[in-house]
């Protein structure tokens, strides 16, 4: 599976946003504008923040010196499985 980035096809970004909308509300309370995300296919700052929040929830925040602009295989698999921790 390939990574999802701001340059990815709209369908891939929408999939990412939809999956984040399934898992994030189970972890965090509603955060207006972030949780739930608007599923618009735009990998912008809000999607990036949601990705960082998801990594943090999985305990991946510490060793990910990443800005949330690229979702790779591990994150895609975790989202597909609906992992919340």
């Amino acid at each position: 599976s390939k990574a999802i980035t701001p340059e990815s096809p709209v369908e891939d970004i929408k999939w990412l946003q939809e999956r984040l909308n399934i898992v994030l509300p189970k972890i965090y309370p509603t955060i207006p504008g972030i949780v739930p995300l608007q599923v618009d296919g735009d990998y912008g700052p809000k999607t990036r923040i949601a990705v960082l929040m998801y990594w943090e929830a999985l305990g991946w925040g510490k060793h990910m010196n990443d800005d949330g602009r690229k979702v790779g295989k591990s994150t895609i698999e975790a989202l597909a499985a609906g992992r919340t921790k």
Side-chain angles (χ1 to χ4, degrees), residues 16-82:
L16 172 64
Q17 292 170 329
E18 285 165 359
R19 299 307 302 188
L20 285 165
N21 279 346
I22 292 167
V23 294
L24 284 182
K26 297 175 182 172
I27 305 166
Y28 299 101
T30 298
I31 302 168
I34 308 277
V35 182
L37 281 167
Q38 191 175 350
V39 179
D40 56 8
D42 176 27
Y43 199 138
K46 291 173 179 176
T47 299
R48 202 160 64 80
I49 290 166
V51 167
L52 291 168
M53 288 168 61
Y54 186 53
W55 287 344
E56 191 62 39
L58 295 182
W60 297 353
K62 310 288 178 285
H63 61 85
M64 295 283 249
N65 53 357
D66 205 315
D67 60 5
R69 286 182 193 277
K70 180 178 175 184
V71 169
K73 188 168 185 279
S74 302
T75 307
I76 290 167
E77 286 173 356
L79 284 167

